[in-house]
């Protein structure tokens, strides 16, 4: 698997040079028109992790994104959210692609007590990648991106503080589009324990080399780490999510296994070992139970 794509590689791939931005600001926030990043003859975006967040508005066009074991289509107008932990490939399906995107680093928002991007719903593990918009909504979001572009080109001394505000406004606009019952979730003791369990599970991924290995693979491993009884942890998780701890762990291991089988050249024993299986036969049994296919059959799809 390739190393995470940094901003220099991102600029080289999409623009064939580095935009004229002060080095101290480059990598904190930047804004572009989507069509200007589609270099004629450039290779499609490849499966890799980035070291920055990305918010995109697809005003017009049609693309397909492949990430982990999922394939989703983006048809404009739509908002798209990408995290550094989400490796993906993109395939353009229409000749005309228009819109905007901004790239952000977490430290950009943490300055001066700003928001934590990892806590935002659109950047949480398992969140929806693509959010359709109506035409009037796309016009409003476009206006916000236009403000960011104008400010980025200005000589205003505090323009990056203003850009931080505009980016936060963009996130708040997207939050307002969510169903009302998803904007506030009461957080009791069961929900808090479940949230910590899910965060601990997700923190083990993605797997980036065959020598990296998940340390927590069983429900009792997580319970021990959280200093609770396995039955209590399972009760809280099931009451909050409707699924057992074992089901969550199996689903996440299965998803990572599919990604590794599709997007790496590691042999099956290496994939299984990285996911905590000492014997290839145990990994084969687990994978077939989850997917109905053996790892080798799945890789041939």
């Amino acid at each position: 698997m390739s190393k995470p794509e940094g901003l220099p590689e991102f600029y080289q791939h999409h623009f064939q040079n580095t935009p004229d931005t002060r080095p101290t600001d480059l990598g904190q926030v930047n804004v572009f028109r989507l069509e200007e990043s589609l270099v004629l003859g450039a290779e499609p975006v490849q499966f890799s992790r980035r070291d920055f967040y990305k918010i995109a508005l697809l005003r017009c066009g049609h693309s397909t994104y492949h990430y982990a074991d999922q394939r989703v289509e983006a048809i404009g107008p739509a908002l798209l959210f990408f995290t550094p932990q989400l490796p993906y490939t993109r395939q353009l399906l229409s000749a005309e692609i228009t819109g905007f995107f901004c790239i952000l680093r977490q430290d950009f928002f943490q300055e001066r007590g700003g928001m934590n991007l990892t806590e935002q719903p659109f950047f949480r593990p398992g969140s929806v990648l693509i959010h359709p918009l109506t035409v009037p909504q796309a016009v409003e979001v476009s206006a916000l991106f236009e403000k960011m572009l104008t400010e980025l080109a200005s000589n205003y001394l505090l323009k990056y503080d203003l850009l931080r505000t505009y980016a936060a406004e963009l996130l708040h606009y997207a939050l307002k589009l969510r169903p009302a019952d998803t904007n506030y979730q009461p957080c009791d003791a069961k929900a808090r324990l479940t949230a910590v369990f899910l965060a601990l599970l997700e923190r083990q991924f993605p797997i980036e080399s065959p020598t990296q290995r998940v340390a927590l693979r069983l429900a009792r491993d997580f319970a021990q780490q959280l200093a609770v009884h396995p039955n209590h942890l399972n009760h809280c998780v099931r009451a909050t999510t409707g699924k057992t701890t074992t089901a969550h762990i199996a689903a996440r291991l299965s998803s990572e296994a599919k990604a590794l089988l599709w997007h790496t050249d590691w042999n099956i024993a290496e994939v299984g070992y990285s996911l905590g299986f000492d014997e290839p036969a145990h990994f084969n049994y687990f994978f077939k139970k989850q997917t109905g296919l053996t790892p080798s059959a799945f890789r041939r799809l």
Side-chain angles (χ1 to χ4, degrees), residues 28-225:
Q28 299 300 307
V29 62
N30 224 325
V31 188
F32 307 95
R33 296 187 188 279
L34 187 58
E35 52 270 30
E36 294 174 357
S37 71
L38 305 176
V39 178
L40 185 63
E43 296 180 358
V45 173
Q46 297 298 311
F47 181 89
S48 63
R49 271 174 277 277
R50 282 81 185 171
D51 64 358
F52 49 86
Y53 292 83
K54 179 179 175 183
I55 306 173
L57 168 65
L58 180 63
R59 289 202 64 175
C60 174
H62 184 190
S63 301
T64 298
Y65 290 85
H66 299 263
Y67 60 99
D69 59 335
Q70 301 186 48
R71 174 185 181 276
V72 295
E73 292 193 12
I75 302 175
L79 270 174
L80 294 81
F81 296 85
F82 303 92
T83 76
Q85 292 78 31
L86 180 70
Y88 67 89
T89 63
R90 182 191 68 195
Q91 180 184 7
L92 302 179
L93 300 178
S94 61
E96 183 181 5
I97 301 285
T98 63
F100 305 86
F101 69 93
C102 62
I103 52 179
L104 314 161
R105 281 249 174 85
Q106 174 58 48
D107 49 5
F108 173 70
F109 276 97
Q110 286 183 329
E111 293 177 11
R112 308 193 185 191
M115 65 173 62
N116 186 341
L117 289 178
T118 62
E119 296 177 353
Q120 301 308 306
F122 297 110
F123 293 127
R124 290 173 185 165
S127 61
V128 178
L129 175 68
I130 299 168
H131 299 263
L133 299 177
T134 65
V135 172
Q137 289 169 345
V139 171
E140 292 182 342
V141 176
S142 295
L144 189 52
F145 273 106
E146 291 284 5
K147 287 183 180 180
M148 296 174 76
L149 280 171
T150 300
E151 202 57 50
L152 192 65
S154 76
N155 295 321
Y156 179 45
L157 185 61
L158 300 178
K159 68 179 181 180
Y160 284 91
D161 287 340
L162 188 53
L163 281 166
R164 185 182 295 107
T165 300
Y166 285 150
E169 184 180 346
L170 179 60
L171 286 171
H172 282 295
Y173 185 93
L175 283 171
K176 290 194 297 183
L177 300 180
R178 291 163 61 86
D181 60 349
T182 66
N183 287 329
Y184 173 75
Q185 295 291 339
C187 191
D188 58 12
K190 293 179 182 178
R192 285 195 296 270
L193 182 60
T194 299
V196 174
F197 159 72
L198 293 174
L200 194 59
L201 173 61
E202 190 62 33
R203 195 179 303 161
Q204 301 186 104
F205 304 99
I207 303 295
E208 301 198 4
S209 79
T211 58
Q212 180 184 346
R213 197 178 196 209
V214 299
L216 308 174
R217 192 173 65 83
L218 302 174
R220 65 172 179 267
D221 298 332
F222 287 91
Q224 183 177 7
Q225 187 75 11

Side-chain angles (χ1 to χ4, degrees), residues 223-242:
Q224 183 177 7
Q225 187 75 11
L226 296 171
V228 297
H229 193 278
N231 291 345
H232 176 65
L233 176 61
N234 186 63
H235 171 73
C236 293
V237 172
R238 190 163 193 168
T240 304
T241 68

